[in-house]
Amino acid sequence: MLRPVLAIESSCDETATAVLAADGRILAEAVLSQREHMAFGGVVPEIAARAHLEHLPGMVARTLETAGVSPRDLGAVAASTGPGLIGGLIVGSGFAKGMAIATGVPFVAINHLEAHALTPRLPGLVEGGAPFPYLLLLVSGGHCQCVEVSGVGQYRRLGGTIDDAAGEAFDKVAKLLGLGWPGGPAVERLAREGDARRYAFPRPLLGRKGCDFSFSGLKTAVVHAVATLPAGALPRQVVADLCASFQAAVADTLADRVGHALAMMPQAKLLVVSGGVAANQALRAVLEQVAAKAGVRFAAPPLRLCGDNAVMVAWAALERLRLGYASPLDAAPKPRWPLDAEDMVIRP
Ligand code: KG4
Ligand code: ZN
């Protein structure tokens, strides 16, 4: 019987910790979204690494205390070791390895994308569970891809973005409209007040074979639309209409591409959306319709588990530990680490 797992997430600008019981129950969780980057309109890697270093020790101690778990009771320590910003990855994985050595338990190096991918399998999260295989739409600030998930460590990328990620497009549009950063939540909020038909933005790759994505042309179209408006501060309604029109274009694009991906994976009975952009209610609603039309179930993690967190890292570690997998202590952090990399496969 496994003991509780402590996990650390530090691949971007969220410092997060969690302790999960061996059965997947969440005993304690904490997420600190670093505010330090706001003034810069995007994540500054060096500042992120320093902030992880500053916050991690206290957060780990408090999470363990809240969980009522002493380091001696741990069964493993896990950390996101890629893909992501190398400074933060070094901080988090170094800390986790140190704790694993000190407590004499295994270290588990987790691929951050796998953590997003397996989140819906957390017990009790999704009605009816999320048995393999399923189609995963992973949409975050750095990633946008359709993945066939057939088991832990078994991923096949069906298609992905050829330029920007969906979250990146939200962030860039928000920046252009002066909505601050991160942009996704702000664009979604304003879009609710806007008219999605006011601006006819392009739906890149719509109807095209396969399930690749492209968002840079859409972003440029928003730039052009803004450039044609009178100079000076934009009226709130105009900004809202731009947000609504942009979001509708993203939704149509995702719906079309995911529809194609479902056709490429006829064995799928479930569509899962995960990653920061999965928090967007309008996008969820559209994807739910796509799933219904294709006759498959639809699942999305609760909002707090869509963005970066350590619960998902701990859960991925539990899934791997159950299959007898643990990582060597010299497992190096990897800024690039695709889901279908050779070393993702669990070999006996
Ligand atoms: O998964 P995540 O927390 O970090 C990465 O691994 O990238 O995703 C962050 C991204 C950001 O681009 C943010 O703007 C976007 O997710 N995001 C949203 C929403 N909430 C966060 N995009 C659209 N609508 C939202 N409600
Ligand atoms: Zn993420």
Side-chain angles (χ1 to χ4, degrees):
M1 179 62 186
L2 284 171
R3 287 181 291 159
V5 170
L6 165 71
I8 292 170
E9 161 58 41
S10 61
S11 65
C12 193
D13 59 328
E14 262 87 29
T15 313
T17 50
V19 177
L20 263 61
D23 61 4
R25 258 177 316 125
I26 301 168
L27 301 180
E29 61 182 305
V31 179
L32 178 105
S33 294
Q34 300 173 359
R35 313 316 286 171
E36 289 89 336
H37 309 282
M38 279 189 149
F40 302 94
V43 182
V44 183
E46 178 64 17
I47 293 177
R50 289 177 192 214
H52 289 305
L53 199 56
E54 185 186 336
H55 298 300
L56 208 45
M59 285 178 69
V60 166
R62 281 193 297 279
T63 309
L64 283 168
E65 197 184 317
T66 308
V69 171
S70 108
R72 278 191 312 276
D73 303 328
L74 289 172
V77 186
S80 280
T81 56
L85 302 173
I86 191 65
L89 294 173
I90 290 173
V91 171
S93 59
F95 197 100
K97 287 175 184 177
M99 285 210 53
I101 293 170
T103 52
V105 299
F107 165 67
V108 193
I110 292 297
N111 181 313
H112 177 89
L113 303 177
E114 175 172 71
H116 277 302
L118 299 177
T119 303
R121 289 172 50 80
L122 256 164
L125 213 62
V126 169
E127 214 187 307
F132 300 123
Y134 52 81
L135 174 68
L136 168 74
L137 170 65
L138 181 60
V139 269
S140 69
H143 302 274
C144 184
Q145 48 189 280
C146 287
V147 183
E148 181 183 294
V149 180
S150 2
V152 179
Q154 292 170 40
Y155 309 101
R156 189 163 73 95
R157 192 173 183 277
L158 300 175
T161 184
I162 55 173
D163 40 57
D164 292 347
E168 198 177 348
F170 270 93
D171 291 337
K172 285 176 178 168
V173 165
K175 196 168 178 178
L176 173 76
L177 298 175
L179 301 178
W181 176 91
V187 170
E188 180 178 17
R189 227 174 295 124
L190 268 160
R192 279 192 211 115
E193 305 169 18
D195 175 2
R197 283 158 309 179
R198 171 88 179 269
Y199 298 94
F201 291 138
R203 271 67 173 155
L205 302 184
L206 201 79
R208 196 82 65 87
K209 197 166 164 275
C211 61
D212 281 341
F213 302 85
S214 164
F215 292 105
S216 92
L218 170 57
K219 175 195 65 194
T220 309
V222 181
V223 172
H224 286 315
V226 171
T228 60
L229 293 167
L234 296 174
R236 185 180 172 93
Q237 192 56 51
V238 172
V239 177
D241 291 345
L242 284 163
C243 287
S245 304
F246 163 76
Q247 187 173 274
V250 175
D252 284 352
T253 306
L254 291 182
D256 176 74
R257 311 282 73 210
V258 169
H260 280 225
L262 280 169
M264 291 163 79
M265 193 186 162
Q267 75 278 31
K269 301 207 164 34
L270 172 70
L271 166 67
V272 163
V273 60
S274 192
V277 182
N280 188 296
Q281 301 288 357
L283 299 183
R284 280 181 187 234
V286 166
L287 292 168
E288 200 165 353
Q289 284 169 16
V290 174
K293 209 170 136 203
V296 304
R297 281 196 300 134
F298 173 74
L303 296 192
R304 75 175 208 290
L305 296 181
C306 282
D308 289 348
N309 65 85
V311 169
M312 66 181 190
V313 179
W315 173 249
L318 280 167
E319 293 248 41
R320 284 189 163 257
L321 286 162
R322 277 184 198 154
L323 298 173
Y325 175 93
S327 310
L329 280 166
D330 62 357
K334 288 186 236 163
R336 292 181 61 82
W337 193 7
L339 264 181
D340 53 5
E342 181 58 28
D343 62 357
M344 287 301 294
V345 180
I346 299 177
R347 308 223 181 266

